[in-house]
Amino acid sequence: MNRFKKFSIPYLVWMIIFTGIPLILMIVFAFSTIESFSAYTFNISEVSFTANNLQALVDKTFINSLLRSLLYALIATILCLLIGYPIAYFISHSKLKHKYLILLIFIMPMWTNMLLRIQTINNLLSENSFFTNVFGFTIDLSDFKALKIIAVMTLVYLPFMIFPIYTVLEKMDISINEASRDLGASPVKTFFKVTMPMSSKGIFSGIMMVFLPAAMSFTIPKIVTKEDPNYAMVGQLIERQFKNYTTFYNIGSIWSLVIIILVLGSLYIVSKVDEEGETLL
């Protein structure tokens, strides 16, 4: 296998340039007085390091946005699980000849541009939508912005819940369920005592794969609420530190590091639950 190590060099270089260096810069910004950065005007002699930026972690706006993000993501994840598990269960246990085509219908949206998906779903849940023009009824959630954010999140990230659960259920030995029923267990008891525990890896992976991107999302609330600050999520808050006329790279970086730590911690937990990585996309 050593002779193939040289083929990993391009990937290593890629990770150093596009992952390692940005992460180092983020750490430098987080613990320095640098508020903005330009390669043309940057002067290293004017940079000083400080721990004062840690005070931004107790900023009321940041805490409120983080809690709001976690709440919205939690609700969306629960909805995805309640909707996605029955779909995955039905597809995996169906005897349809072309059941993979059904799975493909749910997975196919993941191949399209996410901005397009978000905008399309947002329009469907607005006044004068496709439903209004074709079927004559309207699902307008524009006056319920929090509910609309959660609904869009649920529909966008639903495939991320279906696929890992389906992967586990498809590999499950059906004779185990048959043995449970032969021993006198009802179908409901068999499901809760056998099927669901054995699909826990897929459930957990699906939860992580939905919860993390949902909690860190900034595109969905930005499009749905038209940047209403009362519904700002933590991703939007970080984006504003880098894109506003008045930039604060140090504040944005210290907040981003918190998110990175949460994501890496979650991925570590997933790797322990599913060591083979069989449920990951």
Side-chain angles (χ1 to χ4, degrees):
M1 296 299 292
N2 291 334
R3 65 172 181 244
F4 295 110
K5 285 186 177 180
K6 60 183 178 182
F7 293 109
S8 66
I9 294 177
Y11 300 98
L12 181 61
V13 173
W14 177 277
M15 289 187 63
I16 291 174
I17 295 176
F18 295 104
T19 303
I21 294 178
L23 183 59
I24 292 173
L25 289 175
M26 188 182 299
I27 296 173
V28 171
F29 291 153
F31 296 97
S32 69
T33 56
I34 303 174
E35 292 186 352
S36 61
F37 177 79
S38 172
Y40 301 102
T41 60
F42 180 72
N43 188 348
I44 190 68
S45 62
E46 298 177 357
V47 178
S48 61
F49 290 91
T50 178
N52 293 335
N53 296 333
L54 293 173
Q55 296 177 359
L57 297 179
V58 295
D59 182 84
K60 185 177 180 180
T61 303
F62 172 70
I63 294 176
N64 289 339
S65 296
L66 181 61
L67 294 176
R68 185 182 299 115
S69 300
L70 296 176
L71 177 62
Y72 289 176
L74 178 62
I75 298 174
T77 302
I78 294 173
L79 291 175
C80 282
L81 180 60
L82 293 177
I83 299 171
Y85 196 102
I87 293 174
Y89 183 87
F90 169 77
I91 297 174
S92 63
H93 285 73
S94 67
K95 297 182 179 180
L96 298 175
K97 183 178 180 180
H98 302 291
K99 65 179 180 180
Y100 295 106
L101 292 178
I102 301 176
L103 180 66
L104 186 63
I105 293 174
F106 292 98
I107 302 300
M108 195 178 295
M110 297 170 60
W111 300 346
T112 61
N113 184 276
M114 178 168 283
L115 287 175
L116 181 61
R117 277 189 287 152
I118 294 172
Q119 189 64 63
T120 301
I121 297 172
N122 180 53
N123 291 338
L124 289 176
L125 299 178
S126 302
E127 191 177 7
N128 297 322
S129 66
F130 170 81
F131 295 129
T132 305
N133 297 326
V134 177
F135 300 106
F137 68 90
T138 301
I139 306 177
D140 186 11
L141 300 180
S142 300
D143 294 332
F144 308 95
K145 294 182 179 179
L147 179 60
K148 194 174 185 182
I149 292 173
I150 295 170
V152 174
M153 282 183 175
T154 302
L155 294 174
V156 168
Y157 296 116
L158 182 60
F160 291 92
M161 181 67 73
I162 294 175
F163 192 82
I165 295 177
Y166 167 81
T167 302
V168 173
L169 291 175
E170 182 67 16
K171 294 179 180 179
M172 189 180 300
D173 189 353
I174 194 172
S175 62
I176 298 177
N177 291 338
E178 295 174 350
S180 175
R181 289 193 289 270
D182 290 342
L183 292 173
S186 65
V188 174
K189 190 172 183 179
T190 297
F191 175 79
F192 284 104
K193 293 292 186 179
V194 179
T195 305
M196 184 171 284
M198 293 188 67
S199 61
S200 59
K201 284 186 179 181
I203 294 173
F204 192 82
S205 295
I207 289 174
M208 289 293 104
M209 292 169 66
V210 171
F211 182 80
L212 290 178
M216 310 312 163
S217 173
F218 69 90
T219 308
I220 292 177
K222 186 174 183 178
I223 292 176
V224 171
T225 68
K226 298 180 180 178
E227 301 193 61
D228 188 335
N230 295 321
Y231 298 91
M233 296 177 63
V234 67
Q236 286 178 278
L237 207 62
I238 293 173
E239 182 201 23
R240 291 171 187 170
Q241 307 306 311
F242 294 94
K243 294 186 66 175
N244 282 357
Y245 294 108
T246 304
T247 57
F248 295 97
Y249 280 24
N250 45 10
I251 303 302
S253 296
I254 198 74
W255 287 344
S256 298
L257 285 178
V258 173
I259 302 304
I260 289 174
I261 292 172
L262 292 176
V263 171
L264 291 178
S266 300
L267 292 177
Y268 175 78
I269 295 174
V270 171
S271 68
K272 290 299 182 182
V273 173
D274 184 12
E275 295 182 356
E276 298 83 8
E278 60 183 5
T279 63
L280 299 177
L281 290 174

